[in-house]
Amino acid sequence: MALLLIFLTVFIDLVGFGIIIPVLPKCASDFGADAGTVGLLVMSYSLMQFFMTPIWGRLSDTVGRRPILLISLAMSAIGYAIWGFADSLTMLFVSRIVAGFGNANIAVAQAYISDVTTVENRAKGMGMIGAAFGLGFTLGPALGGALSSFGMHSIGYVAAACSGLAFLFAIFFLPEPLQRTQAGHERFRLDPSFLTDTLKNPNLTISLLIFFFATFAFANMETTLTLLTVNWYKFKESDISWLFTYVGFVMVMVQGGMIGRLSKKYGERSLISVGAVLVCVGLLLTVFIRNVQGLYAAMTFLAAGTSIINPSNQSMTSK
């Protein structure tokens, strides 16, 4: 039951995240942003996640998973609400910074999974977080495409409502784990040496590098795909939304229905290697095949590869 509850919490929050993604470049360009500025807008969100993820994780070790999830969900709702009220590019940046501050909570959700699963079922639990992400990434862009005809502001308000709903769901239904893992107390500190000590840890270095490069690859696709499809394929906002919806669907199928069984049969290390190859194939196809069918094939490889790498790597790291 705990796995289902954290799945629903993350899923509802990620619907709000998914609503914004396919329409973000168009909204920014309406305020005069060029392609470089769109990249900076996306970066501002990720930069806040970079700084806040270890802090949220450490605090959740100290005060509990549930309180930190509640605070971060509230921040996400505020960030999306700012998007709804935005009347300038500056406000869009403020919106993404605040939302990034809140959406750095995925690490806390993963810690929650570690608290309520056994070592044998860890990959399956991490896969459920990935499936929640994928499902939110499926429904969010589709909803964003449908809302695009009502304007940028409505998209922000609906995204804020999704995070607000996740906040209420967590308040009334999500319990604090009976026992928290103590990795944060044993290994990490909130001081400048935290990062260097972690990177020097031989048990974590490779996993962190894998996570960095896998996320780097997917984030570059996520940021530039909208611009690419508009320039090469003359996609409209609804076409872009359906493409992102398809990416989310593939992620749900792989992480929700396959990753647990594959992990037990082949092990995390083997799956990470397979996932990396699939990601490479997907990115290469994106560049060299310039038709819509080829684009969807490329997204299939990319989404499947990412969906294999991340939960497998997170499971291995948590052990």
Side-chain angles (χ1 to χ4, degrees):
M1 180 58 72
L3 285 177
L4 177 61
L5 291 171
I6 193 66
F7 171 87
L8 291 173
T9 302
V10 173
F11 161 66
I12 295 170
D13 189 34
L14 264 296
V15 169
F17 171 82
I19 289 173
I20 297 289
I21 290 301
V23 299
L24 185 150
K26 175 63 167 57
C27 294
S29 64
D30 288 344
F31 288 118
D34 56 16
T37 304
V38 171
L40 291 175
L41 184 61
V42 175
M43 185 194 75
S44 64
Y45 175 91
S46 300
L47 193 63
M48 283 305 301
Q49 287 190 309
F50 170 76
F51 286 116
M52 288 306 302
T53 293
I55 295 175
W56 283 144
R58 184 66 174 85
L59 288 175
S60 76
D61 286 336
T62 304
V63 303
R65 312 297 186 207
R66 186 174 179 272
I68 298 304
L69 283 171
L70 290 173
I71 294 170
S72 60
L73 288 170
M75 293 301 300
S76 296
I78 292 170
Y80 295 137
I82 294 172
W83 184 282
F85 288 107
D87 57 5
S88 67
L89 187 60
T90 300
M91 287 192 69
L92 292 187
F93 271 96
V94 172
S95 168
R96 298 310 288 162
I97 289 171
V98 175
F101 188 98
N103 279 137
N105 58 10
I106 295 299
V108 181
Q110 291 166 344
Y112 192 107
I113 293 295
S114 294
D115 294 339
V116 299
T117 58
T118 63
V119 172
E120 292 77 18
N121 293 322
R122 190 68 47 77
K124 179 181 178 181
M126 294 299 178
M128 287 189 69
I129 292 293
F133 186 96
L135 194 57
F137 214 71
T138 300
L139 298 181
L143 186 57
L147 291 170
S148 62
S149 59
F150 296 97
M152 178 192 75
H153 300 292
S154 63
I155 292 172
Y157 297 143
V158 173
C162 289
S163 287
L165 181 61
F167 175 83
L168 293 175
F169 184 88
I171 283 181
F172 291 109
F173 300 108
L174 187 68
E176 178 69 19
L178 296 177
Q179 181 176 328
R180 293 197 298 271
T181 56
Q182 297 298 308
H185 292 290
E186 294 165 1
R187 298 178 183 171
F188 304 131
R189 303 172 303 281
L190 287 177
D191 61 56
S193 63
F194 153 73
L195 185 60
T196 56
D197 288 348
T198 303
L199 292 175
K200 290 177 182 178
N201 188 323
N203 294 322
L204 298 175
T205 302
I206 298 300
S207 291
L208 290 172
L209 287 173
I210 290 169
F211 184 74
F212 170 78
F213 285 116
T215 305
F216 183 86
F218 190 84
N220 272 277
M221 178 282 297
E222 183 182 76
T223 304
T224 58
L225 185 62
T226 298
L227 300 174
L228 181 145
T229 52
V230 169
N231 291 332
W232 283 9
Y233 303 104
K234 308 305 177 186
F235 271 19
K236 299 178 181 179
E237 290 176 349
S238 58
D239 300 318
I240 297 167
S241 296
W242 282 117
L243 180 60
F244 275 104
T245 298
Y246 176 74
V247 169
F249 174 78
V250 174
M251 294 174 71
V252 170
M253 292 297 101
V254 174
Q255 295 188 113
M258 298 170 56
I259 196 67
R261 294 193 300 271
L262 291 174
S263 177
K264 289 182 178 180
K265 186 173 182 178
Y266 299 107
E268 285 99 347
R269 291 177 182 271
S270 298
L271 291 183
I272 290 170
S273 299
V274 172
V277 171
L278 293 176
V279 169
C280 290
V281 171
L283 291 173
L284 288 172
L285 287 176
T286 304
V287 175
F288 292 110
I289 298 181
R290 297 197 179 186
N291 58 67
V292 175
Q293 293 79 10
L295 177 65
Y296 270 86
M299 291 300 104
T300 302
F301 283 107
L302 183 58
T306 301
S307 300
I308 291 172
I309 290 176
N310 285 340
S312 300
N313 189 46
Q314 289 156 4
S315 175
M316 188 170 67
T317 304
S318 73
K319 296 173 181 178

